[in-house]
Amino acid sequence: MPSRSPLRVVLAEDSVLLREGLVGVLTRFGHETVAAVGDADALRDAVSAYEPDIVVTDVRMPPGFQDEGLRAAVELRAARPTLPVLVLSQYVQRSYAAELLDTGDGTGVGYLLKDRVGQVEQFVAALTRVAEGGTVVDPEVVRQLLRRRRDPLAHLTPREREVLGLVAEGKSNAAIARELVVSEAAVGKHIGNILGKLDLPPADGTHRRVLAVLAYLRA
Amino acid sequence: MLREKTVWDELRGGGYLRGSAPWRSAAYLAGGALLGAVVLVIGSVLVALAGILAVVLIGIPLLAALTLSGIPLAALERRRVRLVDPAPAPTPHRTPDAPGIPAWFRLRLKEQATWRELAYAVLLALVLWPLDLLVVACAVGLPVLLVAAPAQLALAGGDIRPAKLWLVDGYPAATGTALLGVVLLLVLLHPLGAYAAARAAFTRLLLAPREAELADRLAEVTRSRARLVDAFEAERRRIERDLHDGAQQRLVALTMTLGLARMDAAPDGPLADKLATAHDEAGRVLTELRELIRGIHPQVLADYGLTAAMEDAADRSAVPVDTDGTGPPLPRLPEPVESAAYFAVREALANVGKHSGATRAHITTAHTAGVLRIDVRDDGRGGADPGRGTGLTGLADRLAVLDGRLAVTSPPGGPTVLSVEIPCQAEAR
């Protein structure tokens, strides 16, 4: 993947080992880690101090080792709706993802399983997509939701669910077309059907794709 | 085990003389007489000694120890009483909360039972043992002396006066006396049994635990069980945190390093292949570890509560699960309640997946009038036996600590419904 303009990243991760590793990965891909911190308060301070292009944060952090990282991310997004945030989670959890996507208008957020950072190229690609205002939801969350077919998704055909899953992963129509080996026009048609079935009429200023993903998460 | 009858039961039920009851009664009373005499002698000596030594202060602790002397005696008496009344006679004393002799002393001095036991010791030494002796002497000793008249006559030669009562001067008279002795013995064994039963009942009254003491002990057992469950829960969390903060982080760092190394290795070379294999393997281990950690204690339960955690469990179930009927999300409940309820649901879903043959399961939850109720229903073949699954037994125990209940109904042909009920109040968190 061609490296675009380097991103200025604020990183919050309490494990030193992992923090150093992430800094190494970001550096390797030409991005700059302007601050690497170990708890949620330091994260808030670092964002104020550096105004980064993107925040990457762990869910579980000191002092309580509960969902402090996620809380901080939600707060940051409330104060700065356009600040891209990528949250790394110990494991897949729809509640975390849904809460995060509810912030701002659901664009420029990502929710990834921590394991994904091992797939360094995919991880950095997801990071870039989020920084550009995309929405990335971990494929594992998507897979679980697909298994559990409930309204309003019940009306979708299997193919449409598949397409919606790929949309949730943050893929563009072109990427989805490549993955499913169909024409981009066919993907567009599927997405049109999905938006119709989910009752998301065309309107200005709303990101219907994100709303579809949200409907999907909340289903 | 067949519960043995008391002497009193046998006296009333008939057949008293055919069993061992008369002899057990006699042994009980003879033992009581002997014990009482010994207690009187030792007690008098100790009290006198303590009284003398009290002048030079050494006697004070001795006197203090004497107040507790009822305790070992009572322990012995509680064993002896089972000769005539086989029902267990538990100790009325509690186990000290703290280890060490001072704690033991403090508890014993506070307990009412200690003083009842001391009173019993005094009564035994001064009143009971002479009574016991008198009854045994009259009911057993006297007839036995009469029965032994022929033998005495043979030994003494001339004439004898058995039990100092009347003159026996020949074998016909001796035989008559012996027969009278036998009859007397058979008759007197009845009052002997009655006295022994009354004596045992009195002993029990003083030395066995009172209702309030039993209730105290039950509460103590319940508390200790709750402490065990809490300790178990804390250990679960510790293990989860250790795995998460240790092994998992290291593995993620390792996969990152391997990922970077793959980028640097010449593509399609043998090194790239080996790195790819190692990378994939590390990824699989990470996935397994993640599932393991979640199984130990899911973080989402702590962060979002029971509804989210159950939906999460539903997401992972092999059989599709509806949670639509759950109504409003549950409030946050006390941690042990959330934890026990979550693991009950998970066990239920695992059973649905493994045994039921169901195509669909349905979870309903409600928290009304201070009771959390969760039903997991499936459309499987039914016939589940809740006694067979060790998982369910463990859950029932865990719920019992919280005063909760687990019920499984599973008629052949289904549906199987597992219900959990736990009384609890909502918590603000």
Side-chain angles (χ1 to χ4, degrees):
Chain A
M1 174 163 299
S3 184
R4 282 153 247 200
S5 58
L7 295 168
R8 297 173 66 254
V9 182
V10 164
L11 174 66
E13 161 64 58
D14 61 296
S15 155
V16 179
L17 190 67
L18 219 49
R19 198 160 68 213
E20 296 306 316
L22 281 165
V23 171
V25 168
L26 292 172
T27 309
R28 175 72 171 71
F29 284 84
H31 300 305
E32 185 194 356
T33 310
V34 291
V37 298
D39 66 74
D41 288 337
L43 168 62
R44 281 185 272 261
D45 294 345
V47 170
S48 305
Y50 295 99
E51 296 294 337
D53 297 325
I54 184 167
V55 169
V56 178
T57 178
D58 188 9
V59 168
R60 179 144 109 166
M61 282 207 283
F65 290 97
Q66 292 210 336
D67 54 354
E68 283 87 347
L70 182 76
R71 298 267 144 261
V74 169
E75 275 174 41
L76 287 171
R77 290 274 298 174
R80 302 171 173 74
T82 55
L83 174 70
V85 172
L86 176 60
V87 170
L88 301 176
S89 176
Q90 176 197 2
Y91 43 58
V92 174
Q93 179 53 51
R94 184 151 45 96
S95 314
Y96 296 138
E99 189 164 354
L100 196 63
L101 283 162
D102 273 343
T103 63
D105 56 3
T107 58
V109 287
Y111 174 83
L112 277 187
L113 202 54
K114 225 176 201 182
D115 300 11
R116 304 286 171 222
V117 300
Q119 310 288 331
V120 286
E121 283 162 303
Q122 287 177 30
F123 166 66
V124 174
L127 181 88
T128 316
R129 272 206 295 276
V130 172
E132 288 166 352
T135 309
V136 175
V137 177
D138 197 279
E140 192 61 37
V141 176
V142 173
R143 195 169 311 140
Q144 275 180 23
L145 291 168
L146 280 175
R147 270 220 315 251
R148 215 172 149 214
R149 283 166 249 139
R150 294 190 301 173
D151 288 337
L153 302 178
H155 305 301
L156 301 186
T157 66
R159 189 57 152 191
E160 284 163 359
R161 275 196 289 274
E162 200 174 351
V163 171
L164 183 53
L166 293 167
V167 170
E169 286 179 33
K171 299 214 160 87
S172 66
N173 285 12
I176 295 171
R178 268 199 307 282
E179 180 140 351
L180 299 179
V181 204
V182 294
S183 71
E184 223 176 303
V187 172
K189 200 166 139 255
H190 281 311
I191 291 178
N193 287 342
I194 293 167
L195 296 176
K197 285 181 182 177
L198 295 182
D199 202 18
L200 297 170
D204 296 336
T206 55
H207 299 256
R208 292 198 297 154
R209 287 169 74 104
V210 173
L211 291 178
V213 171
L214 276 175
Y216 191 45
L217 287 170
R218 295 201 189 100
Chain B
M1 201 181 84
L2 198 72
R3 192 185 170 295
E4 283 180 74
K5 288 202 268 184
T6 66
V7 166
W8 187 246
D9 291 337
E10 292 190 38
L11 266 173
R12 288 191 315 170
Y16 165 69
L17 288 177
R18 284 197 298 277
S20 62
W23 310 114
R24 283 190 279 119
S25 303
Y28 176 63
L29 295 178
L34 186 67
L35 189 64
V38 171
V39 167
L40 178 62
V41 171
I42 297 180
S44 312
V45 170
L46 287 181
V47 168
L49 202 62
I52 295 165
L53 289 177
V55 182
V56 287
L57 292 179
I58 308 170
I60 304 283
L62 191 57
L63 271 175
L66 272 174
T67 61
L68 299 182
S69 62
I71 294 173
L73 177 69
L76 180 61
E77 282 297 85
R78 277 191 292 269
R79 282 166 188 275
R80 279 195 347 104
V81 81
R82 301 184 63 182
L83 267 175
V84 284
D85 179 0
T91 168
H93 296 293
R94 290 201 296 127
T95 313
D97 292 334
I101 292 174
W104 186 85
F105 262 100
R106 274 198 302 277
L107 178 65
R108 288 294 172 264
L109 287 176
K110 265 195 305 199
E111 284 178 319
Q112 201 207 31
T114 308
W115 304 102
R116 289 205 311 269
E117 288 173 345
L118 183 65
Y120 179 84
V122 173
L123 268 178
L124 179 67
L126 300 182
V127 182
L128 292 175
W129 80 264
L131 269 179
D132 290 355
L133 187 62
L134 185 70
V135 171
V136 172
C138 289
V140 181
L142 179 70
V144 164
L145 280 179
L146 296 184
V147 169
Q152 287 176 50
L153 189 65
L155 282 174
D159 47 345
I160 55 159
R161 201 180 268 274
K164 310 268 186 285
L165 288 177
W166 55 78
L167 194 71
V168 171
D169 54 0
Y171 280 99
T175 310
T177 305
L179 279 176
L180 182 68
V182 170
V183 171
L184 203 57
L185 183 66
L186 292 182
V187 171
L188 286 181
L189 281 178
H190 284 87
L192 174 93
Y195 173 75
R199 169 84 160 75
F202 178 70
T203 304
R204 234 175 226 288
L205 186 70
L206 277 185
L207 301 185
R210 300 274 161 101
E211 201 119 298
E213 285 161 341
L214 280 176
D216 271 3
R217 282 151 58 89
L218 192 62
E220 172 59 26
V221 168
T222 310
R223 274 199 300 277
S224 104
R225 196 157 72 147
R227 276 199 299 274
L228 268 180
V229 168
D230 285 350
F232 178 66
E233 205 59 36
E235 187 67 358
R236 258 190 132 100
R237 277 155 196 263
R238 192 189 62 74
I239 292 170
E240 185 256 354
R241 182 178 287 194
D242 283 357
L243 284 176
H244 172 72
D245 294 342
Q248 198 183 27
Q249 311 284 11
R250 277 163 197 276
L251 264 173
V252 172
L254 172 67
T255 57
M256 269 195 298
T257 311
L258 286 169
L260 286 176
R262 280 178 77 178
M263 292 177 64
D264 294 336
D268 302 326
L271 180 62
D273 283 353
K274 288 205 175 94
L275 280 174
T277 312
H279 197 195
D280 292 347
E281 189 58 32
R284 273 194 290 277
V285 173
L286 203 48
T287 306
E288 273 178 35
L289 184 64
R290 174 157 44 86
E291 290 305 315
L292 180 71
I293 291 176
R294 168 183 289 270
I296 293 170
H297 189 92
Q299 184 67 29
V300 65
L301 187 59
D303 291 345
Y304 286 89
L306 198 48
T307 302
M310 277 189 315
E311 281 178 357
D312 176 58
D315 282 349
R316 298 159 171 274
S317 163
V319 175
V321 180
D322 287 321
T323 50
D324 297 353
T326 50
L330 296 169
R332 292 310 299 264
L333 302 168
E335 257 179 55
V337 172
E338 288 190 339
S339 189
Y342 169 78
F343 282 105
V345 167
R346 242 188 38 177
E347 178 74 22
L349 290 181
N351 286 344
V352 170
K354 267 188 273 183
H355 309 299
S356 72
T359 57
R360 206 136 195 110
H362 198 90
I363 303 179
T364 48
T365 60
H367 183 258
T368 46
V371 176
L372 168 69
R373 189 185 163 103
I374 301 176
D375 290 329
V376 182
R377 171 190 295 267
D378 70 48
D379 62 356
R381 64 178 84 90
D385 177 8
R388 224 183 36 208
T390 51
L392 286 180
T393 317
L395 282 175
D397 286 349
R398 204 164 161 179
L399 291 169
V401 172
L402 303 165
D403 285 330
R405 289 189 313 113
L406 176 79
V408 181
T409 58
S410 186
T416 299
V417 182
L418 179 141
S419 306
V420 172
E421 275 183 13
I422 311 174
C424 58
Q425 296 302 326
E427 266 186 9
R429 283 202 210 159

